[in-house]
């Protein structure tokens, strides 16, 4: 395999040298923020931590976590945040979270930290095999959500040609992609499937687009094997997973070896995995919540940020040669989206995989209802063309019974009934 790297030397450093690099960067972030950044200083002081005590990564556990609620409170005096290290004139960008769950959180970048975002996306795009020969299509409306804005910085770093595809319909986007002969695309997995659906409806031949690589972020999906298969089949391209968050940065990516998970960009982030209830570190290989300290965003840093994303560390060597640690299966789901149905832990990604493994299932929606101590699952599905709806309902029911030991209620709805999404999908609801 011809593996492409963004920074081969950094990506293949032995673990102890990555650790030394992280410790040096961490000390630099602390020195540049403590006593200057009000949010950081108050957190250190309230916990009794002395910045000088933070010498190794092991010392990090002496610091308290940072939560989304704290960062939201830090913007109450607005429009800036007490987590802004510098005066306003140092900043060149304000973005905010997508707001799919609750109040949007604002984040702030200086020219230097925006360059760092681009560097992180450089690892993502080169990791998927993109080079200066590629034309990258970004079908994204360039609003305040940071989303794929940072992908542009990554495309610049690897010198790929970026084709922006905001402000137009899906049909217009398909035509633009064919006209520009784009070879790569970055969007949510949901939108990659939506574009393929529109192409089918309009008899647009996707093979007129010389797509070879798709990179997906914003939600799980490219890490769900059955969803990945669908995207690859529809586009005739290799599909790659990537995860990040407005609050922390673009932190992990799937490499060309596709070992069934993603690499964490350890030169730019310190990764911890904790029990979401107790906050204690889990043992290697156990599921836990991803906690991140970023090392390149001095203007808006986070120390031990609780991402709410569930991951499982895989420390076996990767065939691509990178030494960055891996998340087995990527981001498994949100800690608060994991539902317990009749005693079974159910991740939305597991449900999505089971549904998408049925060719007859098109769009779907899952509602989990709690009655006293009991939870019930309702699955609404749209059939694809020509599928037998009764047989599909029976087959889906059997899959859930065999794989999860559950008997959800499965209902068929007419094609086109369920909502379609262009960014993050909301197919799971717990009521
Ligand atoms: Zn790899």
């Amino acid at each position: 395999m011809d593996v492409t790297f963004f920074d081969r030397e950094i990506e293949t450093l032995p673990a102890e040298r990555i650790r030394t690099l992280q410790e040096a960067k961490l000390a630099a972030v602390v020195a540049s923020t403590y006593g200057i950044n009000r949010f950081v200083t108050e957190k250190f002081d309230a916990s009794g931590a002395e910045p000088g005590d933070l010498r190794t990564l092991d010392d990090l556990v002496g610091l308290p976590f940072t939560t989304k609620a704290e960062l939201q409170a830090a913007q109450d005096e607005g429009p800036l945040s007490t987590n802004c290290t510098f005066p306003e004139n140092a900043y060149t960008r304000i973005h905010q979270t997508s707001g799919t769950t609750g109040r949007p959180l604002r984040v702030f970048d200086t020219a230097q930290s925006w360059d760092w975002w681009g560097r992180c996306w450089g690892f993502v795009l080169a990791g998927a095999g993109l080079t200066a020969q590629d034309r990258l299509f970004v079908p994204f409306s360039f609003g305040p959500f940071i989303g794929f804005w940072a992908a542009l910085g990554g495309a610049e770093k690897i010198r790929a040609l970026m084709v922006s595809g905001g402000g137009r319909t899906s049909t217009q986007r398909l035509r633009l992609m064919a006209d520009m002969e784009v070879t790569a695309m970055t969007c949510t997995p949901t939108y990659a499937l939506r574009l393929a659906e529109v192409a089918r409806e309009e008899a647009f031949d996707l093979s007129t687009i010389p797509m070879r690589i798709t990179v997906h972020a914003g939600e799980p999906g490219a890490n769900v094997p059955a969803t990945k298969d669908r995207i690859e089949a529809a586009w005739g391209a290799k599909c790659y997973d990537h995860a990040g968050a407005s609050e922390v940065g673009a932190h992990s990516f799937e490499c060309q070896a596709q070992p069934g998970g993603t690499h964490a960009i350890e030169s730019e982030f310190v990764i911890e995995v904790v029990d979401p209830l107790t906050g204690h570190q889990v043992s290697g290989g156990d599921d836990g919540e991803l906690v991140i300290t970023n090392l390149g965003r001095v203007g808006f840093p986070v120390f031990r940020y609780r991402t709410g994303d569930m991951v499982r560390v895989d420390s076996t060597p990767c065939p691509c040669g990178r030494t960055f640690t891996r998340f087995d299966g990527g981001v498994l789901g949100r800690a608060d989206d994991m539902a317990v149905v009749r005693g079974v832990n159910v991740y939305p990604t597991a449900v999505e995989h089971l549904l998408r493994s049925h060719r007859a299932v098109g769009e779907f929606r899952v509602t989990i209802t709690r009655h006293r101590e009991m939870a019930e699952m309702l699955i609404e599905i749209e059939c694809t063309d020509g599928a037998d709806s009764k047989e599909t309902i029976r087959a889906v029911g059997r899959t859930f019974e065999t794989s999860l030991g559950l008997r959800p209620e499965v209902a068929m709805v007419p094609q086109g009934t369920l909502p379609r999404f262009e960014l993050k999908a909301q197919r799971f609801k717990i009521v």
Side-chain angles (χ1 to χ4, degrees):
M1 184 182 29
D2 191 15
V3 178
T4 55
F5 289 89
F6 177 62
D7 188 335
R8 182 188 292 264
E9 188 190 343
I10 291 285
E11 292 175 77
T12 55
L13 280 180
E16 62 279 8
R17 289 200 44 208
I18 290 180
R19 194 180 162 97
T20 309
L21 178 70
Q22 288 173 314
E23 287 172 346
K25 287 191 178 187
L26 180 63
V29 179
V30 173
S32 311
T33 54
Y34 181 74
I36 304 162
N37 174 314
R38 194 172 121 202
F39 180 82
V40 169
T41 308
E42 286 174 0
K43 268 195 92 66
F44 269 76
D45 289 351
S47 70
E50 281 290 331
D53 292 345
L54 196 64
R55 289 200 189 86
T56 71
L57 296 190
D58 295 333
D59 301 330
L60 256 185
V61 295
L63 281 186
F65 293 117
T66 302
T67 64
K68 187 168 192 170
E70 287 173 326
L71 289 179
Q72 280 169 330
Q75 71 187 24
D76 278 347
E77 294 167 26
L80 265 66
S81 161
T82 59
N83 192 35
C84 287
T85 308
F86 308 116
E88 181 173 344
N89 62 10
Y91 291 87
T92 54
R93 284 178 169 273
I94 298 182
H95 287 283
Q96 63 181 32
T97 52
S98 55
T100 39
T101 48
R103 179 181 160 200
L105 171 70
R106 291 190 291 275
V107 295
F108 302 84
D109 283 288
T110 61
Q112 191 188 31
S113 63
W114 193 248
D115 185 67
W116 172 79
W117 268 94
R119 175 175 165 76
C120 295
W121 265 91
F123 286 101
V124 175
L125 297 177
L130 265 87
T131 70
Q133 269 66 53
D134 281 295
R135 295 184 191 154
L136 176 67
F137 190 71
V138 191
F140 174 64
S141 290
F142 288 89
F145 173 45
I146 208 162
F148 297 96
W149 271 110
L152 311 190
E156 278 185 26
K157 294 273 181 209
I158 64 162
R159 307 216 178 285
L161 185 62
M162 198 279 295
V163 181
S164 61
R168 56 200 54 233
T169 64
S170 295
T171 307
Q172 290 169 328
R173 283 169 172 162
L174 290 167
R175 290 205 195 102
L176 181 60
M177 291 161 91
D179 290 348
M180 296 289 181
E181 299 178 9
V182 301
T183 58
M185 168 170 76
T186 183
C187 62
T188 60
T190 289
Y191 193 55
L193 289 173
R194 173 65 188 148
L195 277 173
E197 184 184 46
V198 171
R200 259 196 316 278
E201 287 165 2
E202 312 212 349
F204 178 95
D205 180 4
L206 279 186
S207 73
T208 58
I209 302 171
M211 188 70 73
R212 64 181 201 99
I213 295 168
T214 66
V215 179
H216 303 289
E219 58 179 9
N223 60 335
V224 174
T227 303
K228 194 186 206 59
D229 287 350
R230 275 194 188 203
I231 295 173
E232 293 193 337
W235 287 93
K238 292 299 281 180
C239 160
Y240 292 88
D241 186 27
H242 154 57
S246 306
E247 305 91 308
V248 294
H251 59 69
S252 53
F253 67 94
E254 187 175 358
C255 66
Q256 290 157 290
Q258 300 200 301
T262 50
H263 286 282
I265 308 174
E266 287 187 288
S267 57
E268 316 301 327
F269 301 92
V270 179
I271 301 302
E272 298 173 77
V273 182
V274 305
D275 181 315
L277 297 177
T278 65
H280 296 142
Q281 314 266 342
V282 300
S283 359
D286 286 350
D287 291 12
E289 183 182 346
L290 176 62
V291 170
I292 292 189
T293 300
N294 57 16
L295 301 172
R297 205 186 201 183
V298 173
F300 195 82
V302 283
F303 294 95
R304 307 195 79 209
Y305 185 73
R306 300 280 300 247
T307 63
D309 286 333
M310 296 293 286
V311 294
R312 181 189 307 136
V313 165
D314 180 352
S315 43
T316 57
C318 185
C320 76
R322 285 180 182 82
T323 45
F324 287 169
T325 200
R326 298 210 311 275
F327 300 134
D328 181 20
V331 170
L332 303 169
R334 302 284 303 164
D336 41 3
D337 277 352
M338 197 181 67
V340 182
V341 181
R342 295 181 181 262
V344 180
N345 281 341
V346 181
Y347 280 116
T349 44
V351 172
E352 178 174 337
H353 174 67
L354 294 180
L355 288 172
R356 295 236 198 253
S357 61
H358 289 270
R359 275 170 165 273
V361 175
E363 192 53 75
F364 64 89
R365 178 166 63 190
V366 178
T367 310
I368 293 170
T369 319
R370 291 209 178 93
H371 297 291
R372 298 190 188 90
E373 295 303 299
M374 296 292 279
E376 301 290 344
M377 188 191 293
L378 166 68
I379 300 175
E380 294 165 282
I381 50 183
E382 287 180 18
C383 259
T384 50
D385 290 334
D388 177 330
S389 60
K390 280 194 180 138
E391 177 45 38
T392 305
I393 288 175
R394 274 196 296 272
V396 167
R398 277 197 301 273
T399 303
F400 276 79
E401 193 156 5
T402 317
S403 305
L404 297 176
L406 294 175
R407 280 191 196 181
E409 185 186 342
V410 184
M412 192 64 63
V413 298
Q415 278 187 358
T417 312
L418 297 173
R420 294 327 196 240
F421 305 94
E422 293 209 351
L423 203 55
K424 299 185 185 200
Q426 288 175 291
R427 298 193 181 92
F428 293 86
K429 201 165 61 175
I430 303 178
V431 292

